[in-house]
Amino acid sequence: MKVLKIFPLYLGIIFSMLITANSAFAQKEPDGEVLLNFNYPAVGNVYLNGLFFGDVAYLPLGEVLSLFYIPTDKTASGKGLQGTFPAKNDNWLIDPITNELTIKGKTGKLNADKYYIGELDLFLHPDYFYEVFGITFTVNSYALSVSMKSINPLPIEERKKRESIRQQLQNRQNQGETSIPILYGRNRKTFGLGVFDYNLAYTNTNLGNNLGVSFNAGMELLGGDLQGTYQGNYYQGNLLSNFAGVRWRYVLPGGLQPDRNVGLASISVGQVSTTSFTNGANLVGVSITNNPVIPRLELDSFVIDGTTAPDSEVELLIGGQLVDFTRANEVGYYRFNAPVTYGTVRLSTRVYTPTGEVIIQDRQIQVPFSFLPKGFVGYNFQSGLPQFTSDSLGTNLVTHADIAYGLSNAITVRAGVDQGEIFGDQSIYPVFGLSARVFQQYLLNIDALPDRYYRANGSVFYASNTSINAQYTEYNPNSALNFRGQVRDANLNTFFPLKLFGKFGGFRLTGERIWFNTGEGVNNYQVDFNTQINRVVFRVNYRGGRRGILISENPTQNQFGLLTTSLTYTLPRTPGIPVYVRGMFLRGQYRYSTLLEQSESISILLSQTLFKTGRFTMGYDRQLALKQSQFQVGFLIDFKSLRSSSQFSKRTEGYSAQQSFSGSLAYDPAGKTLIPSNRDQITRSGVTVRLFVDTNENEIFDEGEEIIPAKAVRLDRSASILLGSDGLLRITQLQSYWKYRLDIDIAALPNPNLAPKIKSFYFIAEPNRFRAIDIPLYQTGVIDGTVFFEKDSDLIGQGGLRLILLKEGETEGEVIRTFSDGSFYSYGLLPGKYTLQVDPMQLEFMEAISNPDKLKFEIKALADGDYLEGMNIVLKINSPDLNKDN
């Protein structure tokens, strides 16, 4: 009984001691708790709990950081949070139990009156959000809303960008090439006017005058592309002329399909060159091949896998472009099958871990165009009379043939034969070769030319930009091609990127060894180093050794040693620098002969952009050993229709002044006019795009129909797009015979109600000429109707419903809401077939059925637009009795 009587007394004493001991941890209760409306583009519209202390609203730390995807961990006390932000080395910590505050690695004290420990979260004063995270919150206590600004990029924003890019990638993959039509395929012309490139250069010197011309013409003839070059030089009353590269080529359909192995791709007649491994010949004859005129793009698939933190997001990039993405599984494993394309391919994996860390890994793969896909056979054949000069033609027939086979995607073997006196004394010279990729990134190439030479070459190019290339050649000393009497030679070329004092640079080392049949040998080497210090690029180069051709009479002429140093400085384009010197390029160079132990030359060059389309250069060079000087000044201006180049040079013993004009003319069949350009267009192609309102709905441009002048098209490859004064779009610098995808940017049309029937299509670029592409536009469609709810045989308009409008062939639809009376409408609909239905989730919640289940209709391409009305939907209660009756 005594224990029971004194127990309350002891309990009261202990309670009083606890209150006294923990008085420092007592919290002031908030004046009120409210839901604040928070709207941010990357987050959307959400509600945040806010605790008001006077006029200041404390916000929940954990909830805010989770909204922005800022990674966090709990502190040892279990009540605080810690992490890194904005950089991975910027550590932060907030712990209300220990009153510890860490900002960017610096520890301080957490003020007790600026936080509140709630039941579900830790609430902070807005000042701490700015001090720790750089986030400023502004609370409107009247509207009960909160807005935010951040001085640092937030992870949620980067995440939204990634999701948007991935969604675009998925849309392209879902759409695929098969769903996009080829509206403008190859259209062969018997006679099609094409393009004409020209270059005129007049030179005046102290020794006389000279006029040089070069004309390069191309067109389509008899369904093939015809082109050739004329070069003339008028000097001291004499005209020297010659024609070069005059040939007609007929490309068969198989030549436009690089992913197929066809029997015949193209035939060329005229001035052709042999595809010999060495000592190629110029012929007047015929050339036949099954190799496509469009380069092959993909060769193989390369497996990329690895492990990382579980549930990480992993992206695959090829050449900096996102091509695939996945999520690491529960043990952190991921895998991609990457397409390996020809050329130099840079594969990158970008890993986003759940903690916010970004891990980037790069790989580099080289695939020369000499490789063939597995099972593919490629051949070339040329035959004709040898052409020694423009007016000298041989009388004996020359023939070359070669064939290649892809044993696998990593091994290609080759064989060939050269026949004719131009190749040597023997009647036939065989050729053999092999190209291989070892461990994906190491290249090995072997060429065997019996009676001439045997050569092996190996190279690798790492993702760090380190490259190594080695070559060894064994010669036949009695070969007619062995001009220097060599027995063998070997060379090594290496490049290593360096980082010196925090600046990136590079170190290149080249070495060569030559053995001669006289028993002598020479060594040549070259060392090059470059780096950048602020805006100055520094480079030093040394070349030493002996020349490849030995001169026994004067051995000093065989040797050389030259040290070259240069400094290059580019002025910034900042407002504080005068306009006329912004972006100016300055370079100084000094050369020293280590062989003669004396300075050899110094030079200075200045270059500056003029009028945005021109460039001015001025330079001075002094040959110290020869005591000669040269001063030069030049102007290069790019006009829209041509390019002008002016150059003046004054030497110690003479001068030279040159003026040249170059450009191109192309015939435009759509505008029936000549289109000038300042760039060459031979071997290229162009299109003229005409956007017009199809008034009579015949999909053909007729005289009097309105042309829409707008730069509203995009291509899937690079090109030059200009809008002419006649309202036509002219796209130039296209590759002949290539297939291009054209997308119409509806948002760029001046009338938002106009739209085409088809938004995307392919076309084939015609060789050496322009082609016309007409895109008819129509007024977009409008629909309206009403959704009724049937109650006791009465139809009552049902407001607040979500209607899903989906166009045929697309995966994402538009959401339309009904008004209070049940009516709805939508405008700006492109021509095509559609379905309209009530949101199934709403129907399920309402326990109703729709009649019809899906409303199908078609928007027709009409000049005045298609208007559909009376599109009504009736909803009924989905009761068992009703279903039984039905």
Side-chain angles (χ1 to χ4, degrees):
M1 295 294 293
K2 287 184 178 180
V3 174
L4 294 176
K5 289 182 180 180
I6 65 175
F7 180 77
L9 179 61
Y10 283 123
L11 186 62
I13 294 173
I14 293 173
F15 184 73
S16 299
M17 292 174 64
L18 288 173
I19 292 177
T20 304
N22 293 281
S23 60
F25 296 94
Q27 294 190 104
K28 180 182 178 182
E29 294 299 319
D31 298 325
E33 181 177 357
V34 295
L35 283 176
L36 298 172
N37 183 277
F38 177 57
N39 194 330
Y40 190 71
V43 177
N45 192 26
V46 297
Y47 286 95
L48 289 176
N49 284 317
L51 300 182
F52 272 92
F53 290 87
D55 296 332
V56 180
Y58 286 41
L59 299 177
L61 175 64
E63 186 176 358
V64 167
L65 298 185
S66 65
L67 283 177
F68 298 149
Y69 286 89
I70 298 177
T72 62
D73 292 314
K74 286 188 176 182
T75 59
S77 68
K79 293 295 183 180
L81 294 175
Q82 61 183 345
T84 58
F85 185 81
K88 62 180 181 180
N89 296 325
D90 294 333
N91 298 317
W92 63 268
L93 181 145
I94 301 175
D95 195 326
I97 302 303
T98 61
N99 283 344
E100 185 178 357
L101 174 67
T102 300
I103 303 175
K104 292 187 176 181
K106 297 181 180 180
T107 302
K109 183 179 180 181
L110 181 67
N111 295 329
D113 59 345
K114 288 193 175 183
Y115 68 85
Y116 179 83
I117 304 176
E119 295 182 0
L120 302 177
D121 210 332
L122 173 64
F123 291 80
L124 286 185
H125 191 284
D127 289 348
Y128 279 142
F129 282 99
Y130 178 77
E131 293 177 16
V132 179
F133 308 104
I135 299 174
T136 302
F137 285 105
T138 303
V139 177
N140 188 331
S141 57
Y142 297 99
L144 297 181
S145 63
V146 57
S147 58
M148 189 267 307
K149 291 182 179 180
S150 176
I151 61 177
N152 301 308
L154 298 174
I156 181 62
E157 295 173 337
E158 299 298 322
R159 184 187 183 96
K160 287 293 183 181
K161 291 179 182 178
R162 297 199 304 267
E163 291 176 350
S164 175
I165 295 174
R166 293 172 185 172
Q167 185 62 48
Q168 295 175 11
L169 175 64
Q170 282 187 327
N171 291 340
R172 290 197 301 267
Q173 292 174 343
N174 293 335
Q175 192 176 30
E177 288 195 9
T178 57
S179 62
I180 301 177
I182 300 180
L183 293 187
Y184 293 85
R186 180 77 171 93
N187 182 20
R188 299 184 186 272
K189 294 284 188 181
T190 303
F191 181 83
L193 292 178
V195 292
F196 177 80
D197 298 342
Y198 62 89
N199 184 285
L200 307 174
Y202 176 76
T203 305
N204 176 265
T205 71
N206 56 298
L207 300 178
N209 302 326
N210 178 69
L211 176 64
V213 297
S214 175
F215 300 131
N216 199 352
M219 60 180 296
E220 187 167 4
L221 180 66
L222 302 177
D225 58 283
L226 174 67
Q227 66 183 54
T229 301
Y230 167 79
Q231 294 177 336
N233 191 282
Y234 185 78
Y235 179 69
Q236 293 183 349
N238 297 316
L239 177 62
L240 301 177
S241 302
N242 73 288
F243 291 89
V246 180
R247 65 109 181 101
W248 174 82
R249 179 178 60 174
Y250 189 89
V251 178
L252 285 82
L256 307 182
Q257 300 173 333
D259 54 341
R260 292 182 54 198
N261 195 198
V262 298
L264 181 61
S266 65
I267 302 174
S268 300
V269 178
Q271 293 178 306
V272 298
S273 298
T274 62
T275 53
S276 308
F277 287 9
T278 185
N279 196 30
N282 296 322
L283 308 179
V284 175
V286 62
S287 173
I288 301 175
T289 182
N290 76 329
N291 292 312
V293 296
I294 300 175
R296 292 188 174 98
L297 298 180
E298 294 185 8
L299 174 69
D300 196 0
S301 292
F302 180 56
V303 176
I304 297 178
D305 59 357
T307 57
T308 184
D311 204 38
S312 296
E313 299 176 10
V314 187
E315 294 180 343
L316 174 65
L317 298 93
I318 297 180
Q321 297 294 320
L322 178 68
V323 297
D324 201 359
F325 64 92
T326 187
R327 189 178 292 274
N329 61 17
E330 60 276 3
V331 296
Y333 178 75
Y334 64 88
R335 176 188 174 98
F336 295 104
N337 288 321
V340 176
T341 59
Y342 286 92
T344 301
V345 183
R346 191 177 186 87
L347 302 175
S348 303
T349 53
R350 197 158 50 193
V351 181
Y352 300 91
T353 66
T355 61
E357 185 180 4
V358 181
I359 304 172
I360 299 176
Q361 296 178 337
D362 295 322
R363 308 179 190 186
Q364 200 97 344
I365 298 177
Q366 284 184 294
V367 182
F369 285 92
S370 58
F371 280 83
L372 289 178
K374 181 180 179 180
F376 274 43
V377 176
Y379 70 84
N380 296 283
F381 174 83
Q382 297 95 29
S383 182
L385 299 178
Q387 185 176 24
F388 303 106
T389 61
S390 60
D391 57 353
S392 177
L393 199 64
T395 57
N396 296 322
L397 189 68
V398 172
T399 301
H400 166 81
D402 63 71
I403 186 170
Y405 177 71
L407 289 176
S408 69
N409 288 330
I411 300 178
T412 297
V413 294
R414 303 180 301 275
V417 61
D418 293 324
Q419 184 275 325
E421 295 180 355
I422 194 172
F423 296 110
D425 297 334
Q426 299 183 22
S427 58
I428 293 179
Y429 286 93
V431 176
F432 305 96
L434 179 144
S435 297
R437 274 188 303 127
V438 184
F439 302 117
Q440 295 291 345
Q441 64 184 121
Y442 296 91
L443 296 180
L444 175 65
N445 193 81
I446 298 175
D447 293 330
L449 286 74
D451 299 319
R452 287 184 277 189
Y453 65 81
Y454 299 87
R455 175 172 293 162
N457 180 280
S459 65
V460 63
F461 188 12
Y462 295 103
S464 62
N465 289 328
T466 298
S467 65
I468 304 173
N469 187 296
Q471 179 175 289
Y472 176 82
T473 305
E474 188 78 22
Y475 292 92
N476 180 356
N478 299 321
S479 171
L481 299 180
N482 192 355
F483 304 108
R484 298 192 295 177
Q486 294 173 243
V487 176
R488 66 186 64 89
D489 63 40
N491 61 69
L492 178 69
N493 189 320
T494 61
F495 175 79
F496 303 97
L498 297 176
K499 191 173 183 180
L500 188 64
F501 304 114
K503 302 297 181 181
F504 288 97
F507 178 80
R508 183 177 296 278
L509 176 63
T510 303
E512 180 186 40
R513 170 69 179 178
I514 303 175
W515 292 265
F516 294 94
N517 53 15
T518 60
E520 297 185 67
V522 298
N523 296 318
N524 298 319
Y525 60 93
Q526 187 173 181
V527 181
D528 187 279
F529 171 76
N530 69 85
T531 187
Q532 181 171 347
I533 305 174
N534 294 325
R535 303 189 66 86
V536 177
V537 177
F538 170 73
R539 180 175 181 178
V540 58
N541 174 277
Y542 180 76
R543 183 178 180 183
R546 301 174 65 185
R547 303 185 187 278
I549 300 178
L550 299 178
I551 305 175
S552 57
E553 292 82 2
N554 189 356
T556 59
Q557 294 185 15
N558 302 334
Q559 303 176 9
F560 56 85
L562 187 65
L563 177 67
T564 304
T565 61
S566 66
L567 292 174
T568 303
Y569 178 75
T570 304
L571 274 72
R573 298 183 178 274
T574 56
I577 297 178
V579 177
Y580 50 86
V581 294
R582 290 180 190 172
M584 181 178 290
F585 172 90
L586 297 169
R587 185 182 67 188
Q589 180 176 283
Y590 170 74
R591 301 175 69 179
Y592 178 83
S593 174
T594 57
L595 177 65
L596 302 176
E597 297 183 350
Q598 65 180 16
S599 298
E600 186 172 280
S601 68
I602 58 171
S603 63
I604 300 175
L605 177 67
L606 177 151
S607 180
Q608 171 66 2
T609 301
L610 293 178
F611 316 117
K612 296 183 180 180
T613 59
R615 178 159 289 276
F616 166 76
T617 58
M618 183 172 63
Y620 174 78
D621 182 85
R622 175 67 176 175
Q623 299 293 325
L624 300 174
L626 301 177
K627 296 183 179 180
Q628 294 182 352
S629 301
Q630 177 175 294
F631 172 80
Q632 60 183 3
V633 60
F635 296 91
L636 178 67
I637 301 179
D638 275 334
F639 299 101
K640 288 185 178 181
S641 57
L642 57 84
R643 172 176 294 179
S644 170
S645 176
S646 305
Q647 188 82 23
F648 176 79
S649 177
K650 178 65 175 70
R651 298 180 298 276
T652 303
E653 298 178 355
Y655 71 92
S656 172
Q658 184 184 73
Q659 174 63 51
S660 68
F661 296 96
S662 62
S664 178
L665 295 172
Y667 177 72
D668 175 19
K672 296 181 179 179
T673 183
L674 292 177
I675 305 299
S677 173
N678 59 18
R679 302 177 67 180
D680 293 343
Q681 298 189 80
I682 292 296
T683 72
R684 300 296 178 91
S685 177
V687 295
T688 300
V689 179
R690 179 165 43 201
L691 301 163
F692 69 97
V693 179
D694 189 12
T695 307
N696 56 6
E697 301 162 14
N698 65 350
E699 301 185 9
I700 300 175
F701 176 75
D702 298 305
E703 188 175 352
E705 289 183 326
E706 180 186 2
I707 295 176
I708 304 300
K711 198 174 182 179
V713 300
R714 295 191 301 266
L715 293 185
D716 60 341
R717 293 186 176 96
S718 62
S720 176
I721 305 178
L722 294 175
L723 179 62
S725 58
D726 53 2
L728 303 182
L729 278 173
R730 292 178 175 87
I731 306 176
T732 59
Q733 298 303 307
L734 304 179
Q735 298 292 341
S736 294
Y737 297 108
W738 283 35
K739 183 173 72 172
Y740 289 84
R741 171 175 166 171
L742 186 145
D743 298 307
I744 299 151
D745 185 5
I746 299 176
L749 294 172
N751 185 346
N753 294 324
L754 289 176
K757 270 187 178 181
I758 301 175
K759 292 194 298 183
S760 301
F761 59 86
Y762 286 99
F763 69 88
I764 304 296
E766 302 289 9
N768 284 337
R769 68 179 179 89
F770 270 63
R771 77 176 307 168
I773 293 180
D774 284 340
I775 301 177
L777 302 176
Y778 306 91
Q779 294 289 336
T780 52
V782 179
I783 61 171
D784 73 19
T786 306
V787 179
F788 296 100
F789 200 99
E790 183 176 333
K791 292 182 180 179
D792 301 329
S793 300
D794 292 332
L795 297 179
I796 303 173
Q798 181 65 50
L801 287 177
R802 293 190 299 271
L803 306 181
I804 300 175
L805 178 65
L806 183 63
K807 191 175 187 290
E808 187 178 85
E810 296 184 356
T811 57
E812 291 190 4
E814 175 191 354
V815 176
I816 305 173
R817 293 189 177 273
T818 60
F819 298 103
S820 58
D821 61 351
S823 63
F824 66 87
Y825 74 91
S826 180
Y827 63 93
L829 302 183
L830 301 177
K833 295 182 179 180
Y834 292 81
T835 59
L836 181 70
Q837 65 174 352
V838 180
D839 188 348
M841 295 183 61
Q842 282 191 317
L843 285 177
E844 183 180 358
F845 182 80
M846 297 169 63
E847 297 182 351
I849 59 174
S850 173
N851 184 24
D853 179 37
K854 290 184 179 180
L855 190 62
K856 298 182 179 180
F857 62 94
E858 181 180 2
I859 297 294
K860 298 180 180 179
L862 303 176
D864 296 327
D866 198 3
Y867 185 83
L868 302 180
E869 55 184 343
M871 304 180 62
N872 299 332
I873 299 175
V874 178
L875 307 182
K876 298 180 181 181
I877 295 296
N878 187 20
S879 64
D881 294 338
L882 181 60
N883 292 334
K884 185 177 180 180
D885 294 340
N886 293 338

